[in-house]
């Protein structure tokens, strides 16, 4: 049986997955007294690699007390002096959500992992998804990774070290969501890494739970005094997507769009697909946020229009529902307001470089370190370098503001003002972990105090930068954790705009001249782009005018006479193409040129028509409608008669149109006064202004659409 009877069949993933609709498809709660050999194979045998110190044997696997125990012993077997265990699922799986709750052994020298890879696979592709790999020499971090073993050559994607609490002191939930588009890794419900899955071929995999002796050269030997020890797994679960619908808003495109007026309706288009079911999804459009009201032409259509009542920033959502499962996508639309984007490593596939350089170890590269340090230590200055690619913005964007936010997680002492400037040349992040003074890690791979690339030196040691101060943050007690923001300024905006216009990254350096010149031992430690928590990584927030949607003006509502041309005078901005079309009316309309803004339309049947001028642009589509009222002939204004205390005007009309009687003292006057308005229900109609008003002068009747 694939699902353990002890499992709750309605259990859901313990992480906020990118899609809803998962249901349990395979599980083992380890509530028995022995390994379920219908579900698992044993990882067994010797390993010729010298750094692997254990022989894997079936005897070192047991189940008791609600957990699977991978037992680690001092025991000679084969060529090894230690033994360990491991399980491999009998079933192969592919797309879905994988989850396990476990803890690592408490002593150094053991490599504990939760991963997916095909067992004894000779065919291609061979993919390995490393949800968790910990070397217990350090129980406060682990690594995630994706390996493509076949087709060759071997390639790794998305390698990241994740900082954690003690991995042996308590159990933690590790998860992996695998879709055709991406791999998402989770720690205790939080996304810690996202990898683009379209970079590699995809195939089925087995689940592996293993812990084996592993000691690299230069590391301490396995601590035999604490053996035997265990890696303990509470459960393993695999979820597949049940009946659900996927939804993607395709217009306006991702990244949002700007609308320059409230008169144009925006075309919304969503691609909705039913998965694992023949049911038709229910579609609902809604406003998630925004300062005004919105009106949708049809909230249940995948192709609809939306109008906004007020300027401001709106989030519009499209939800697709099958049964009790809802999936959604959203798009930002700024109406006469700037768009805002936050650029952060690992968010929505964005990547940028960041590292720090230090005067006390001038040849050390720290590109793979999870921190950025600014201040003074060891008799030398410390400075941080960051580089942000702005090419994802509209190339014609006009930047309105730019600010940089960093997370100080615990430095030393009271640091002086932090100052942000623009680097005058680029750098390479490098692969060093900051410990190169002892093991040469990352030597020559990237920026150091002396070098900007590992092979090309700075003109001035410590980084080449322009003197203009872009922004600063007042000094603070660096031992207190918290976010530090470098606010926007005109200089910061100018630098960002220049980088965008030149299609080059925005290159920044953070230093603290006051701290550098003070007594030794003060520094701020910021999280870097390699930090395990995405929220703590550096974030550049840019607001800008750009990604313009079509602005369309179809003109005023019109009246006309059958078989006589009605002139249409439209305007449009931010469009590649325009088109006139009839939305509704009693008969067809003949346009001179449907793609011309200034146009004529011919109507052969009287009545009320609604015409639409639509504009199609790079970022989406928009439209505006006008009403056109067509009559057989102009209204007939008969001679006025006095009847009692009233002048009576008889007007021949078309039923259903609106007529307004106006008065003026001067036939040439620019201003006419409305006396009354009526919707004709009969033909003719009568206007009867009282004689007692003494309103001598001129009268006219206006036909309105």
């Amino acid at each position: 049986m694939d699902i353990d009877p002890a499992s709750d069949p309605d259990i859901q993933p313990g992480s906020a997955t990118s899609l809803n609709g998962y249901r349990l498809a395979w599980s083992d709660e380890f509530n028995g007294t022995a390994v379920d050999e219908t579900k698992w194979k044993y990882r067994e045998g010797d390993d010729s690699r010298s750094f692997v110190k254990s022989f894997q044997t079936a005897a070192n696997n047991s189940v008791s007390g609600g957990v699977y125990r991978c037992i680690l012993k001092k025991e000679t077997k084969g060529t090894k002096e230690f033994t360990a265990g491991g399980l491999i699922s009998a079933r192969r799986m592919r797309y879905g959500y994988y989850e396990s709750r476990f803890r690592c052994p408490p002593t150094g020298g053991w490599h504990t992992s939760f991963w997916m890879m095909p067992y004894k696979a000779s065919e291609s592709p061979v993919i390995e998804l490393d949800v968790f790999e910990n070397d217990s020499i350090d129980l406060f971090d682990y690594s995630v990774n994706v390996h493509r073993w076949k087709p060759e050559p071997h390639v790794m994607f998305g390698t990241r070290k994740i900082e954690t609490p003690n991995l042996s002191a308590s159990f933690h939930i590790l998860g992996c969501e695998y879709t055709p588009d991406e791999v998402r890794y989770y720690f205790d419900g939080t996304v810690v890494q996202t990898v683009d899955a379209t970079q590699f071929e995809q195939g089925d995999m087995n689940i592996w739970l293993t812990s084996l002796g592993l000691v690299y050269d230069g590391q301490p030997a396995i601590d035999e005094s604490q053996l035997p020890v265990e890696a303990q797994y509470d459960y393993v679960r695999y979820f597949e997507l049940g009946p659900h619908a996927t939804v993607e808003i395709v217009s306006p495109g991702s990244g949002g769009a700007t609308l320059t007026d409230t008169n144009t309706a925006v075309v919304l288009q969503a691609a909705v697909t039913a998965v694992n079911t023949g049911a038709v999804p229910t579609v609902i459009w809604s406003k998630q946020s925004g300062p005004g009201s919105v009106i949708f032409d049809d909230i249940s259509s995948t192709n609809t229009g939306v109008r906004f009542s007020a300027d401001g920033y709106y989030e519009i959502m499209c939800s697709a529902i099958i049964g009790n499962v809802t999936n959604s996508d959203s798009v930002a639309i700024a109406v006469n307001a700037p768009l805002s984007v936050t650029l952060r490593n690992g968010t929505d596939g964005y990547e940028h470089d960041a590292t720090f350089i230090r005067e006390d170890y001038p040849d050390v590269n720290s590109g793979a370190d999870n921190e950025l340090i600014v201040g003074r230590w060891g008799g030398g200055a410390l400075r941080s370098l960051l580089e942000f690619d702005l090419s994802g913005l509209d190339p014609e964007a006009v930047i309105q503001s730019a600010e940089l936010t960093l997370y100080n997680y615990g430095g030393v002492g009271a640091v002086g003002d932090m100052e942000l400037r623009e680097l005058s040349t680029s750098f390479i992040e490098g692969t060093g972990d900051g410990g190169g003074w002892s093991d040469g890690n990352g030597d020559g791979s990237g920026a150091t105090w002396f070098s900007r690339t590992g092979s090309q030196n700075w003109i001035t040691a410590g980084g080449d930068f322009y003197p203009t101060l872009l922004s600063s943050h007042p000094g603070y007690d660096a031992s207190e954790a918290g976010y530090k923001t470098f606010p926007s300024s005109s200089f910061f905006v100018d630098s960002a705009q220049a980088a965008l216009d030149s299609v080059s990254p925005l290159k920044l350096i953070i230093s603290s001249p006051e701290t550098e010149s003070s007594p030794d031992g003060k520094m701020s430690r910021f999280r870097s782009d390699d930090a395990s928590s995405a929220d703590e990584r550096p974030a550049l927030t840019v607001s800008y005018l750009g990604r313009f949607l079509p602005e369309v003006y179809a003109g005023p509502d019109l009246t006309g006479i059958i078989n006589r041309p009605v002139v249409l005078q439209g305007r449009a901005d931010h469009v590649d193409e325009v088109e006139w079309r009839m939305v509704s009316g009693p008969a067809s309309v003949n346009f001179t040129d449907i793609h011309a803004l200034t146009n004529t339309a011919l109507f052969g049947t009287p009545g009320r028509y609604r015409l639409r001028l639509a504009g199609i642009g790079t970022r989406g589509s928009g439209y505006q409608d006008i009403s056109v009222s067509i009559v057989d002939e102009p209204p007939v204004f008969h001679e006025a008669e006095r009847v009692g205390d009233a002048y009576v005007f008889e007007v021949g009309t078309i039923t259903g149109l609106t007529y307004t009687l106006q008065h003026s003292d001067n036939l040439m006057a620019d201003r006419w006064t409305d006396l009354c308005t009526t919707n004709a229900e009969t033909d003719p109609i009568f206007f009867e202004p009282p004689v007692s008003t003494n309103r001598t002068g001129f009268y006219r009747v206006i036909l309105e659409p």
Side-chain angles (χ1 to χ4, degrees):
M1 180 180 296
D2 282 346
I3 298 178
D4 190 328
S7 297
D8 176 357
D10 298 321
I11 194 75
Q12 287 293 298
S15 304
T17 53
S18 65
L19 288 171
N20 296 321
Y22 283 102
R23 59 187 181 186
L24 190 63
W26 185 95
S27 65
D28 195 335
E29 304 294 328
F30 300 123
N31 284 348
T33 58
V35 172
D36 184 347
E37 295 182 352
T38 65
K39 276 191 168 68
W40 300 101
K41 304 172 184 177
Y42 296 108
R43 181 176 184 177
E44 296 182 276
D46 209 335
D47 192 309
S48 60
R49 295 174 295 180
S50 61
F51 56 82
V52 177
K53 304 301 181 182
S54 64
F55 187 100
Q56 308 304 110
T57 175
N60 285 35
N61 302 281
S62 69
V63 172
S64 64
V67 296
Y68 156 58
R69 303 172 188 274
C70 184
I71 305 167
L72 316 172
K73 299 179 180 180
K74 169 62 175 173
E75 179 182 26
T76 300
K77 198 170 184 65
T79 63
K80 310 298 183 185
E81 297 180 1
F82 302 89
T83 59
L87 298 180
I88 307 166
S89 67
R91 174 178 165 177
R92 282 192 180 183
M93 308 149 201
R94 190 179 296 192
Y95 303 127
Y97 174 79
Y98 301 79
E99 182 176 288
S100 182
R101 180 175 181 268
F102 58 93
R103 64 180 179 181
C104 297
T107 183
W110 300 97
H111 181 84
T112 302
S113 56
F114 166 40
W115 48 300
M116 283 76 70
M117 180 179 176
Y119 175 58
K120 292 186 176 180
S122 57
E123 71 279 6
S124 185
V126 175
I127 301 300
E128 177 182 340
L129 305 183
D130 292 327
V131 188
F132 178 95
E133 288 188 298
N134 167 260
D135 292 326
S136 59
I137 191 174
D138 184 352
L139 289 167
F140 292 88
D141 63 49
Y142 72 97
S143 296
V144 297
N145 207 344
V146 176
H147 295 267
R148 187 199 70 191
W149 295 103
K150 291 182 180 180
E152 295 179 339
H154 169 227
V155 181
M156 295 189 296
F157 307 91
T159 304
R160 170 161 285 156
K161 182 180 288 187
I162 313 300
E163 290 188 328
T164 66
N166 190 307
L167 293 168
S168 179
S170 59
F171 285 84
H172 296 277
I173 297 174
L174 282 297
C176 171
E177 184 180 20
Y178 178 30
T179 74
D181 298 319
E182 64 183 15
V183 178
R184 292 160 63 92
Y185 292 121
Y186 300 85
F187 179 79
D188 284 341
T190 299
V191 176
V192 294
Q193 178 64 310
T194 301
V195 182
D196 180 3
T198 64
Q199 301 176 92
F200 49 84
E201 297 179 45
Q202 301 169 18
D204 296 337
M205 302 169 295
N206 303 87
I207 298 174
W208 298 61
L209 310 176
T210 59
S211 190
L212 64 157
L214 189 148
V215 177
Y216 290 109
D217 290 343
Q219 291 182 338
I222 295 174
D223 183 358
E224 300 179 15
S225 65
Q226 298 190 49
L227 298 182
V229 292
E230 300 172 352
Q232 298 178 349
Y233 295 79
D234 182 30
Y235 63 78
V236 182
R237 297 170 186 153
Y238 166 68
F239 298 81
E240 290 179 330
L241 281 166
H244 68 285
T246 61
V247 56
E248 178 186 6
I249 297 176
V250 294
S251 183
S254 62
T258 300
L259 182 65
T260 54
D261 75 296
T262 57
N263 297 314
T264 301
V266 177
V267 175
L268 300 173
Q269 293 178 311
V272 175
T273 304
V275 181
N276 299 331
T277 178
V280 177
T282 298
V283 174
I284 299 177
W285 290 93
S286 61
K287 183 192 86 169
Q288 292 302 106
S289 63
S293 61
V294 301
I295 299 174
F296 298 96
D297 288 350
D298 183 351
I299 65 169
S300 61
S301 173
T302 57
N303 190 331
T304 189
V306 62
R307 296 169 180 82
F308 301 89
S309 67
D311 293 348
Y313 189 85
Y314 294 81
E315 183 182 1
I316 302 300
M317 177 175 287
C318 182
S319 299
I321 306 168
I322 288 182
N324 62 353
V325 177
T326 301
N327 282 302
S328 303
D329 192 19
S330 62
V331 65
I333 299 178
V335 182
N336 268 331
L339 283 168
S340 180
V341 61
T342 297
L343 304 176
R344 176 185 282 122
N345 201 66
T347 300
D348 297 325
Y350 183 80
E351 294 183 355
H352 78 92
D353 290 340
T355 186
F356 71 94
I357 55 178
R358 53 192 308 159
E359 192 176 10
D360 57 342
Y361 290 99
D363 295 316
V364 167
N365 174 262
S366 303
D369 205 335
N370 61 6
E371 64 182 358
L372 303 172
I373 308 179
V374 179
R376 180 180 177 84
W377 195 264
L382 301 110
R383 299 171 181 174
S384 291
L385 315 176
L386 302 99
E387 188 171 281
F388 291 90
D389 179 9
L390 304 182
S391 63
L393 277 64
D394 185 341
E396 298 180 356
V398 179
I399 295 176
Q400 305 295 295
S401 68
E403 67 176 33
L404 176 67
T405 299
L406 304 177
Y407 183 76
N408 174 71
Y409 74 95
V412 179
V415 296
D417 291 359
M418 294 284 146
E419 298 185 354
L420 182 69
R421 290 179 170 82
E422 183 181 2
L423 285 168
S424 58
T425 188
S426 61
F427 67 91
I428 292 177
E429 182 180 60
T431 60
D433 62 6
W437 58 81
S438 59
D439 58 12
N441 180 278
D443 283 359
S445 65
T448 67
W449 188 260
F450 289 140
S451 174
R452 63 184 183 87
T453 66
S455 59
Q456 296 173 298
N457 286 342
W458 303 104
I459 296 174
T460 303
D464 303 323
F465 52 86
Y466 298 110
T468 301
L469 183 65
L470 303 187
S471 185
S472 64
H473 189 288
Y476 50 88
D477 182 351
S479 65
E480 297 179 0
Y483 291 95
K484 307 298 177 185
T485 296
F486 295 83
S488 185
S489 71
S490 60
F491 296 116
F492 201 169
V493 169
D494 289 346
S495 291
Q497 187 71 58
L500 175 66
D501 294 343
S502 63
V503 197
S504 60
L506 177 62
K507 304 176 289 291
L508 303 171
I509 183 170
I510 303 172
S511 63
S512 179
E514 180 183 344
T515 308
E516 290 179 12
S517 62
S518 68
D520 200 22
K522 298 177 181 179
M523 62 179 176
S524 187
R525 305 169 77 103
F526 300 110
R527 293 297 190 191
S528 77
D529 58 321
D530 295 302
S532 55
S533 174
D535 291 343
E536 296 179 0
R537 297 171 197 157
L540 178 69
T541 300
V542 178
S543 67
Y544 64 96
L545 298 175
R547 294 183 176 270
F548 292 108
L549 289 165
E551 177 187 348
V552 180
Y553 176 67
D557 292 341
L558 300 170
T559 59
I561 302 171
I562 62 170
N563 299 320
R564 296 187 188 180
V566 175
V567 177
L568 306 173
Q569 293 183 311
R571 299 195 308 269
D573 290 319
H574 311 298
V575 299
D576 299 322
E577 180 182 341
V578 296
E579 179 180 293
W580 287 96
R581 64 178 76 115
M582 185 184 80
V583 178
S584 63
S588 61
V589 180
N590 292 318
F591 297 95
T592 302
D593 181 355
I594 63 172
H595 297 298
L597 285 169
T598 301
N599 210 334
T600 59
L602 201 62
F603 303 83
T605 302
R608 195 183 299 271
Y609 294 78
R610 179 161 291 277
L611 303 185
R612 174 169 295 173
L613 177 60
I616 302 172
T618 304
R619 301 301 175 186
S621 302
Y623 61 87
Q624 188 182 53
D625 294 348
I626 59 171
S627 177
V628 182
S629 299
I630 301 298
V631 297
D632 287 314
E633 56 186 24
V636 179
F637 201 154
H638 299 284
E639 184 177 349
E641 296 182 64
R642 179 169 179 171
V643 180
D645 189 42
Y647 291 113
V648 177
F649 297 91
E650 178 186 338
V651 181
T653 67
I654 299 295
T655 301
L657 300 184
T658 300
Y659 299 83
T660 299
L661 177 65
Q662 296 181 325
H663 169 269
S664 177
D665 294 324
N666 184 344
L667 187 61
M668 303 302 291
D670 293 332
R671 185 174 182 85
W672 290 76
T673 302
D674 291 349
L675 298 180
C676 58
T677 299
T678 183
N679 291 320
E681 297 181 355
T682 61
D683 180 16
I685 61 172
F686 298 91
F687 294 97
E688 301 180 14
V691 174
S692 58
T693 61
N694 294 319
R695 297 200 84 152
T696 58
F698 301 93
Y699 294 84
R700 70 181 182 184
V701 173
I702 300 296
L703 170 63
E704 297 179 327

